[in-house]
Amino acid sequence: MSTDFHRLLFHISEALVTNELTALKFLSLEHIPMRKLEAIQNAQDFFQALQERGMIEEGNLSFLKELLYRVSRIDLLSAHLRSSREEMERELQIPGRAQVSAYRELLYGIAEDLTQKDVQNVKFLLQEQIPKNKLQDNASMLEILHEMERNEIIKKDDLAVLNNILKEFRPDVKKKIDIYEGKKKENKSKEKLHCPVPVSVHPAGQGAELVESYKMKNNPHGYCVILNNYVFKNPYEAREGTLKDGEAVKRVFKWLHFETVEHMDLEAKQIYAKVKEYSQKDHSNMDCFVCFIFSHGEKDKIKGIDHEFVNIKDLLSCFSGSNCPSLAGKPKLFFIQACQGSVGHPGVTVKEDFSGRLEVDATPLTTIPDQADMLVGMATVEDYECYRCTEMGSVYIQCLCDKMELLCPLRKDLITILTEVNKEVGGRVLNGWKQMPKITSTLRKQLIFQIPRCPSTEK
């Protein structure tokens, strides 16, 4: 990126004050994981996070313009981005242009309308639902709204608690929620009018059912095993940054109530032995099994630190229904960060819509019951390299962890999350090449991870 671009971001960051940065972070909650936003203390780090997520880049500053417009920094819009209030109002009237959701815009607008006395009233009325240490005198309304979201007191489709609170002392602000909910109902009605009525394929008298989900009721839900090869016998093959991947996975899966364990620097035979060891455990009181493997690799193989290889197929076979009966019918997930070849993946320019003129013939994956309920997420497709930052960790694993933190609270299923990972990783240019992750699945149901409620024992 050019020096001019970074200079532009620097000048804007210098002009922002603390409460404006808080507002920008709040408005970006649907694009950047909560964990990352909470760690950001200055505007330069915030802009860096937006760049990492692809939300701002040289030649595309639409999201930055919208953020500055939302926080009423029209002076910065005009001085640095050659825009104006009127131009932004016209732009955001166009369907699909706004990147800040109507829900988040509503919450921010409510926070802006409330006086300090109003905020104190809100804190008083919430003291039975939110820990006292989150309702201290210096807590802003944005921080309170954020805490209400964390505790699932308010959601995009459920603002009843906030509505009832505002009704007590600010009925004028409550009307904003009424308008928001009215528009949502109106939009749903329009969608129903434009959706064709589906033709039922079910026998008469039998209604269609929603896609079934795997049960995720136990605590812990299962093992999350990380096999992380960092130091190889050839010192030049050390995988710098892989410890960051291990930390990210442990953080996410401990949060999701998995028993998480990491094993470092394994030879090929040890990789197979460790996988087999976990397949022979009793998983009767568990819902799921997750395994991450970080190493070097070749097509369909993982390299041990001794430069010997183990076949991915052999690892997966340990968890077939016949070899691991206590996990039969339960999801088994494998995520592999390893090259599957030695060449970079080239990019290709495509049009947004081919109107159905392109067709691809592919050999379908043959699934037999013994191999059911498995998912393999690969950092790259066959024959190509995958990339790892020596300081931040691998592109694929870091993106996967970010997306899980962002989308699991929204009850998105695993396939949807992995598709988002494919979209983001596949959209990046890495060392002049592309990287395309791959999903192979014989899951028979949706897998939705249960999100633990934030602890609220302190009153």
Side-chain angles (χ1 to χ4, degrees), residues 72-258:
S72 298
R73 287 305 304 264
I74 308 303
D75 57 327
L76 296 179
L77 266 180
S78 175
H80 298 289
L81 299 174
R82 298 178 183 177
S83 189
S84 65
R85 184 190 302 276
E86 294 74 25
E87 184 179 327
M88 289 306 302
E89 287 173 352
R90 287 195 300 271
E91 178 76 10
L92 296 174
Q93 289 293 322
I94 302 171
R97 291 293 174 88
Q99 296 176 76
V100 176
S101 70
Y103 165 71
R104 198 137 306 275
E105 182 189 354
L106 167 72
L107 295 184
Y108 178 69
I110 289 172
E112 286 291 284
D113 285 346
L114 297 182
T115 66
Q116 193 57 43
K117 174 61 177 172
D118 294 333
V119 176
Q120 291 301 321
N121 289 338
V122 173
K123 292 176 183 177
F124 180 79
L125 293 169
L126 280 172
Q127 58 186 330
E128 293 299 318
Q129 295 171 275
I130 292 179
K132 284 185 179 179
N133 66 333
K134 301 295 184 180
L135 297 173
Q136 295 175 357
D137 290 342
N138 61 349
S140 69
M141 189 61 204
L142 286 181
E143 290 171 324
I144 294 168
L145 289 170
H146 182 32
E147 199 60 34
M148 291 176 76
E149 289 186 284
R150 287 169 67 112
N151 285 274
E152 297 187 351
I153 297 168
I154 57 172
K155 304 175 189 174
K156 192 173 292 188
D157 297 315
D158 184 2
L159 291 162
V161 173
L162 184 59
N163 203 339
N164 289 333
I165 288 173
L166 294 175
K167 183 170 63 176
E168 296 293 330
F169 55 91
R170 285 299 300 268
D172 57 324
V173 179
K174 171 196 172 293
K175 285 181 181 177
K176 287 193 170 187
I177 298 178
D178 297 336
I179 292 169
Y180 166 81
E181 292 180 335
K183 284 183 179 178
K184 284 202 72 174
K185 287 179 183 177
E186 183 181 331
N187 290 337
K188 282 184 179 179
S189 297
K190 287 179 180 177
E191 286 174 10
K192 286 180 180 178
L193 285 172
H194 288 90
C195 287
V197 177
V199 178
S200 175
V201 295
H202 294 263
Q206 294 183 14
E209 293 183 357
L210 295 174
V211 178
E212 189 179 355
S213 295
Y214 287 104
K215 291 180 180 178
M216 298 290 281
K217 301 296 184 186
N218 288 299
N219 186 4
H221 292 304
Y223 292 106
C224 174
V225 180
I226 306 165
L227 309 181
N228 194 346
N229 281 353
Y230 174 27
V231 179
F232 286 70
K233 290 187 176 178
N234 179 350
Y236 294 104
E237 290 191 336
R239 300 180 60 257
E240 299 295 340
T242 193
L243 298 181
K244 293 289 185 182
D245 288 343
E247 291 169 6
V249 170
K250 284 185 282 190
R251 182 188 65 247
V252 170
F253 278 85
K254 284 179 181 177
W255 168 59
L256 292 174
H257 285 175
F258 278 78

Side-chain angles (χ1 to χ4, degrees), residues 377-392:
M378 302 288 294
T380 181
V381 294
E382 290 89 346
D383 301 321
Y384 292 109
E385 297 174 323
C386 54
Y387 300 94
R388 171 175 29 85
C389 173
T390 56
E391 295 180 356
M392 302 300 294

